[in-house]
Amino acid sequence: MRLHGLLALILLLLISALPQQARAAPQPLTIHVSPTGDDYGPGTKLRPLRTLTAARDMVRARKDRTQPVVVELEAGRFEFGGSFRLDSSDSGTAEAPIVYRANPGAMLSGSRSVPEGAVGTVTDPAVKARLDPSVRDRVRQIDLGELGISDPVNRAPQVTGADRPTGVQPVQGDSMGHDARYPDRGSELRIAAVHADGDNPVWRIDDRTPFTWAPSSDLWAEGYPGFDWAYQLQRVISLDPANATITLDTPAEFGSRAGQPFYFRHVLEALNQPDEFYVDEASGLMYFLPTGDPLSLTVATEPLIVGEGVSHVRFEGLHLSETRGDGMRFTGGRAIEIHGGTFTNLGLTAIHFTDVADSVVDSVRISRVGRGGITMSGGDRDSLTPGNNLVSNNTIDQFSETYPRYSPGITLAGVGNIARNNEVFNAPHLAIQLRGNDHRIEHNYVHDVVLDASDSGALHGGRDWTERGNVIAHNIFARVGPGAHDVPAVYLDDMMSGTTVRQNLIVDSAVGVQHNGRDNDITSNVLVRTERPVYVGNWSRAISGPGGELEQRLHKVPYKSQAWAKYPNLATILEDDPQEQKYNTVTANALIDSGSISVEEATRGGVTQRDNRVVPAASIVIGEDPAGYAVPEGSRLNRIPGMQVLNPASVGPHAKGAPAPAPTNSEPSGRLGLLAAGAGALAVVVAGSAAWWWSRRGQRPAA
C-alpha cells in the first residue's frame, strides 16, 4: 500500500510539473474543404465543405478560441469569382494559429472553365479576311457575353507605376494568353522620327506592315517612347501610309524620342501564336488559337485572398493561379505566414503585404505574373520601429509581364524587414526594390534581369536622403542588363544614402555598384567582368537643391529626433552642402577582368578609397552558374586587407550555409516546445522522487 501511495504521489507530481499550456492544449479542429463538397455539411473528411468562406464561418463559430484550427483543402480546382476575405475576427493566437493547408492537387483559381460547346469557328468573312493566312483556318472564337463576361478589356492609357487589373485572358493548360501584338514577342520597332510631340504625338516608322491593316479604333502603341525605363501605352488614332506616320491620342509622360522602342498591341492581323488572343470589344468575341489543352478565362479582378487586420494565420502549400488581379493582399495585422505553394498566371502582384509585422513569406514559387512577385511593407518610420517581416527561400521569375517597369520580384518598404536566400531572375526590369530604412537584403541570388531596359538596376532604391540604414550583403548578382552600358547590379539612385553594400559577388554586369549619395559604404565586394565596378557620380542636383523634392521628403520624417540620431550626418544635412556627395567609402573591393573604379571629379572629395585591388582571374573559379563559384587555395582575394569572401553555400533558396531561419508562429513547433518543456519538468520530478524513495529505504542506487 505504501508503494501504491508513493506511485500516486509521483504521478500527481508529474502532472503538476507539466506546463499549463501543454496540459490544456486541445487537439486541432480540422475542417475539410473540397470543390465537390457541400457547404451545409459538417466539414469532415468524408463530408467536406465546398468553399473556404463556409470553412471560415465555421472557424468563427467555434466556442473554444484556444483551440488550434487547420482548414484542409482537398485536391481539385476551387474557382473564385471574388475574394476570400479575412478580418480581425478571423485571427488566431500565437498558441493557437489558424492554418489553411492545401493538399497536393488543390488550386485556387480566378478563372472560369470554358465548355467545349462555347468554342466555335470564325464565321464573319470580314474577320477571316484580316487573319494571318497561315493560321486562318485554325483560329477559334468565344462569345464572352454568352458566358456572362461583360468587362473583357482594360486598355485605358497606362504609364509607369499604374496598377489596374488586366483584361480577360485565356488560359490553356498552364499558359496564360497575351494580347496579339506586332512584331511578335522578342522583337520590337523603333521610332524613326518624331514629327510632333504635343497632345497628339506623331511618329514616323519605317516598317510598312502596319499600313496594310484594316482601320481600327482599338489599336495601341506600347513601349518606351521617352526613356527605356518609362513604360507607356497609348491609343493609335490614325495611320497615314502616305507619310508613314502614326498619330497617338495622348502625349508620352516623358516625351517621345527617335530611336526608342515600341510595338503595336491588340492587332487582329498579328494573331499567329498559340499564346496570343484578340478581343473585339464591340462584338464581345474573343479570337484565339487552340492548343488542345483545357481552356479557361480569367474573370476575377480582386485578389483571390484578402486580409484586413487579421493576425496569427498561416497558409501552407497554396496554389493560386489564373486571375486578373493580385494573388493575396493583406493590410495590417501581424504574424501572417505563407509557407510553400505556387503562384502562377496572375494579372498583378502575387503577394502584397502592407503595414504588417512579424510576418513571413517562405519557400514560395512565383512565375508568370503581370506585375510584381512579393511586396512586404511594415514598420514605423517616425519611430523607426522595425516590422520584423521576412521574405526568404522564394524562387521568383517571369514577373512584370504586363507592367514591364518598376514591378520588382521583391519590394521591401517601411522599416526593418529582411529579404534573404531568394532567387530572382528572368525579368525585363528590376529584381528588388528598396524603400525605407534598416532593411537587410542578404544571401540572395539575382541573375538575368534588366533584360531590356537602360539606366536601371537589378537592385534599385533612391530619391530620398532619409532612407538609411539598409544593408545589401552576401548576395550574388549575375548577368544584369546584358548588352547595356548603364545598368548596375546595385543602383543607389538620386542621392540614396546611408547604405552598406558589403561582401557581394557581382558577375557580368556593365556597372557593379552605382550611386551619388552620402554616407554609403561599399566594402569587400568581388566584381568580375564589370566595365565600371564602382561608379560614384553627381547627378540629381535638380531635386536636391533648396525646396526640392529631397528636402520636402526630409521634412516628412522627424530626422532630428532621438530615434534618428543613429544616422550620422543626417540631422545637419541642410547645413552641410546637401547637394554634394560626402562621407562615402569604397574599400577592400576586388576587381577581376574589370575596369577601374570611377569617381567623378566633382565628388572625389567626398569619397575615401582604400585597399581596392586588381587581382588575377585565377583568384576565383566561376562556371556557367556563378552561384557555384570557388576560391582556390592561395587566392589573391585572401590577401586584400579587410576582404571577407562570400561563402557560395550561403546563397539562394534553402542554402546549406544560410543563416538560421527566423522563428515562426506555426502550431506544430509551438506544441513541440511545450512538450519539450514538459519533458524537462518530468525528468526533474522523476529524479527527485527516485532520490526520495531510495533515501526512505536507507539505500541509494548505483551511479
Side-chain angles (χ1 to χ4, degrees), residues 168-244:
V168 64
Q169 293 172 272
V171 181
Q172 300 189 74
D174 196 33
S175 177
M176 181 120 71
H178 300 275
D179 210 353
R181 53 166 281 180
Y182 179 85
D184 288 333
R185 289 161 66 90
S187 301
E188 59 194 16
L189 302 175
R190 297 277 171 173
I191 301 171
V194 178
H195 289 185
D197 200 24
D199 291 339
N200 299 114
V202 179
W203 303 343
R204 181 173 63 80
I205 60 174
D206 292 333
D207 192 311
R208 302 296 300 181
T209 300
F211 302 107
T212 67
W213 300 334
S216 171
S217 61
D218 200 12
L219 177 65
W220 298 76
E222 184 170 37
Y224 315 96
F227 298 94
D228 285 356
W229 44 264
Y231 162 77
Q232 194 95 31
L233 177 65
Q234 301 159 279
R235 187 191 295 270
V236 179
I237 57 178
S238 68
L239 294 95
D240 181 356
N243 295 302

Side-chain angles (χ1 to χ4, degrees), residues 77 79 107 109-115 142 147 149 168-177 286 288 293-299 321-322 345:
R77 179 188 179 92
E79 292 191 352
M107 183 177 78
S109 171
S111 70
R112 183 182 305 165
S113 298
V114 177
I142 301 170
L147 296 177
I149 300 174
V168 64
Q169 293 172 272
V171 181
Q172 300 189 74
D174 196 33
S175 177
M176 181 120 71
M286 171 184 283
F288 70 103
D293 294 306
L295 174 65
S296 60
L297 300 174
T298 58
V299 293
S321 190
E322 303 171 7
N345 293 329

